[in-house]
């Protein structure tokens, strides 16, 4: 790896740490949105660096859909224990049980959009004024409209046409009662940057990102993992494939890709040759051309 590229990763790291410290300076009760995916793990690692030798001064907020990969929950709990930080869990199942949201039905049912209500309820009940997310501008076209500090109104909604300018790294975190912000410290990172940095820093990630044998079914142009939550159609047949996941979400909507990449070095090489975005295997993003943006406007991550 060239000296130039190392300097480039250092610049991205420095920018992200600057944003994290600005969040700490401007807000009273910020949290890190933690999904157990590589971007939120990277963000947590950067927060650890930003405030070392002190502990991370933010709690981690996980919106638990109840349809998680077991490996993700195990990784989350082990990381929380090692960091010694607070974990806040918002439960989608509780939102369903309390009548706050209604469970989707049908073959392609997902709890993904149900997370919005659970997230906003968790933000309100815990008096959170800034939720730090791992969104990147190359991840999905709606993400490219975000600022480092993304304002949300008193309904938790996002208006992409009404965001504040961020000239000369001046970030405005002022808000009225009931409003809050989302902060995106790794906005300028790409998927390739993330993997190169994870490889460089030797950051521990869930085993799901590495190629492994798994029982799957071909649906919506992706290999969907078989689980207790997946309802198979009469014409669908399960197969055992060597796959890995580029992005982690609900087990019911996260498609894997056939791969032999079982080390970080192999993942970096594989991603370098990819032409499809990492969310190309997420069935929730295939519902419409504006699926992500519509969810974000309602208060999604």
């Amino acid at each position: 790896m060239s000296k130039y590229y190392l300097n480039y990763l250092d610049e991205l790291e420095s920018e992200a740490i600057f944003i994290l410290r600005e969040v700490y300076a401007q807000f009273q009760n910020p949290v890190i949105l933690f999904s157990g995916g590589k971007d939120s793990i990277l963000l947590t690692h950067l927060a650890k660096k930003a405030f070392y030798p002190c502990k991370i001064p933010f709690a981690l907020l996980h919106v638990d859909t109840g349809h998680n990969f077991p490996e993700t929950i195990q990784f989350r709990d082990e990381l929380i224990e090692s960091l010694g930080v607070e974990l806040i869990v918002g439960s989608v199942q509780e939102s369903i049980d309390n009548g706050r949201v209604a469970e989707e039905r049908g073959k392609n049912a997902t709890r993904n959009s149900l997370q919005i209500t659970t997230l906003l309820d968790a933000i309100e009940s815990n008096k959170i004024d800034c939720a730090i997310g791992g969104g990147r501008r190359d991840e999905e076209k709606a993400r490219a409209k975000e600022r480092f500090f993304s304002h949300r109104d008193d309904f938790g909604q996002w208006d992409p046409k009404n965001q504040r300018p961020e000239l000369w790294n001046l970030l405005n975190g002022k808000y009225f009662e009931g409003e809050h912000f989302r902060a995106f410290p790794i906005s300028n990172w790409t998927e390739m940057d993330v993997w190169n940095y994870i490889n460089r820093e030797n950051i521990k990630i869930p085993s799901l990102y590495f190629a492994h044998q798994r029982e799957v079914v071909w649906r919506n142009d992706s290999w969907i993992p078989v689980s207790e939550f997946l309802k198979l159609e009469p014409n669908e047949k399960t197969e055992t494939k060597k796959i890995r996941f580029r992005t982690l979400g609900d087990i019911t909507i996260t498609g894997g890709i056939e791969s032999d990449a079982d080390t970080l070095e192999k993942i970096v090489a594989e991603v370098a040759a990819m032409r499809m975005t990492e969310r190309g295997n997420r069935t929730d993003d295939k519902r419409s051309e504006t699926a992500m943006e519509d969810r974000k406007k309602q208060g999604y991550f």
Side-chain angles (χ1 to χ4, degrees):
M1 192 177 290
S2 70
K3 183 178 178 182
Y4 170 79
Y5 201 81
L6 284 172
N7 286 340
Y8 171 60
L9 287 179
D10 289 339
E11 287 185 22
L12 288 173
E13 177 190 74
S14 179
E15 179 183 63
I17 286 175
F18 167 75
I19 302 300
L20 286 163
R21 289 173 176 168
E22 278 292 302
V23 169
Y24 182 67
Q26 295 197 39
F27 297 97
Q28 299 299 311
N29 189 30
V31 297
I32 293 175
L33 295 173
F34 189 83
S35 67
K38 67 182 185 310
D39 296 323
S40 62
I41 292 168
L42 168 69
L43 197 57
T44 305
H45 177 83
L46 289 165
K48 185 179 176 181
K49 273 196 164 187
F51 300 100
Y52 182 84
C54 298
K55 286 198 305 185
I56 297 173
F58 314 126
L60 269 57
L61 170 59
H62 179 219
V63 177
D64 181 0
T65 64
H67 289 176
N68 302 285
F69 285 91
E71 296 94 328
T72 304
I73 298 300
Q74 180 182 348
F75 184 92
R76 179 201 71 183
D77 293 343
E78 290 174 355
L79 181 64
I80 290 295
E81 185 177 357
S82 68
L83 292 174
V85 297
E86 180 188 0
L87 173 66
I88 300 170
V89 178
S91 170
V92 171
Q93 185 60 56
E94 284 186 15
S95 297
I96 295 170
D97 294 342
N98 294 333
R100 295 283 291 145
V101 293
E103 184 87 82
E104 286 188 5
R105 304 294 177 189
K107 172 184 173 181
N108 295 314
T110 169
R111 289 185 169 185
N112 199 42
S113 62
L114 307 189
Q115 296 179 83
I116 298 170
T117 298
T118 306
L119 172 61
L120 294 178
D121 286 349
I123 287 173
E124 183 176 2
S125 62
N126 290 280
K127 295 182 170 54
I128 294 164
D129 53 3
C130 182
I132 311 164
R136 306 188 325 270
R137 289 174 186 169
D138 76 319
E139 187 182 1
E140 203 277 341
K141 55 191 177 184
R143 301 281 201 201
K145 299 179 181 180
E146 288 284 17
R147 303 288 195 270
F148 285 123
F149 278 14
S150 179
H151 176 261
R152 303 298 167 104
D153 66 19
D154 52 355
F155 293 103
Q157 297 178 331
W158 173 66
D159 181 359
K161 296 179 180 179
N162 188 28
Q163 296 297 310
R164 299 170 182 179
E166 295 179 339
L167 305 175
W168 307 291
N169 286 332
L170 296 175
L171 305 175
N172 182 357
K174 293 182 179 179
Y175 60 91
F176 292 107
E177 183 69 28
E179 299 175 344
H180 73 277
F181 273 79
R182 309 289 170 86
F184 298 101
I186 61 171
S187 285
N188 287 329
W189 297 54
T190 65
E191 183 187 11
M192 194 69 193
D193 298 330
V194 169
W195 282 117
N196 274 312
Y197 188 80
I198 288 173
N199 188 32
R200 188 183 86 168
E201 302 281 303
N202 196 28
I203 300 171
K204 187 178 179 182
I205 55 174
S207 59
L208 297 162
Y209 283 112
F210 299 103
H212 58 286
Q213 296 290 333
R214 197 175 195 110
E215 190 178 9
V216 291
V217 63
W218 185 252
R219 181 184 288 183
N220 294 326
D221 299 323
S222 294
W223 290 111
I224 303 296
V226 174
S227 72
E228 60 182 303
F229 309 112
L230 188 72
K231 297 178 181 178
L232 293 175
E233 296 291 297
N235 62 332
E236 289 181 322
K237 214 182 346 179
T238 64
E239 302 180 52
T240 300
K241 294 280 185 180
K242 190 175 184 181
I243 64 166
R244 75 174 193 87
F245 299 92
R246 291 178 70 190
T247 177
L248 299 185
D250 263 17
I251 196 170
T252 58
I253 59 171
T254 304
I257 59 171
E258 292 190 69
S259 172
D260 290 314
D262 54 6
T263 66
L264 287 173
E265 290 78 10
K266 289 180 181 178
I267 290 175
V268 169
E270 183 178 82
V271 171
M274 290 285 186
R275 292 296 175 265
M276 179 187 288
T277 65
E278 63 189 283
R279 292 189 69 95
N281 291 97
R282 290 282 290 269
T283 59
D284 51 320
D285 287 350
K286 297 179 182 180
R287 292 191 168 190
S288 73
E289 284 292 321
T290 60
M292 170 67 86
E293 182 159 337
D294 292 342
R295 294 198 305 273
K296 282 177 64 62
K297 287 177 178 178
Q298 297 171 44
Y300 189 71
F301 306 114

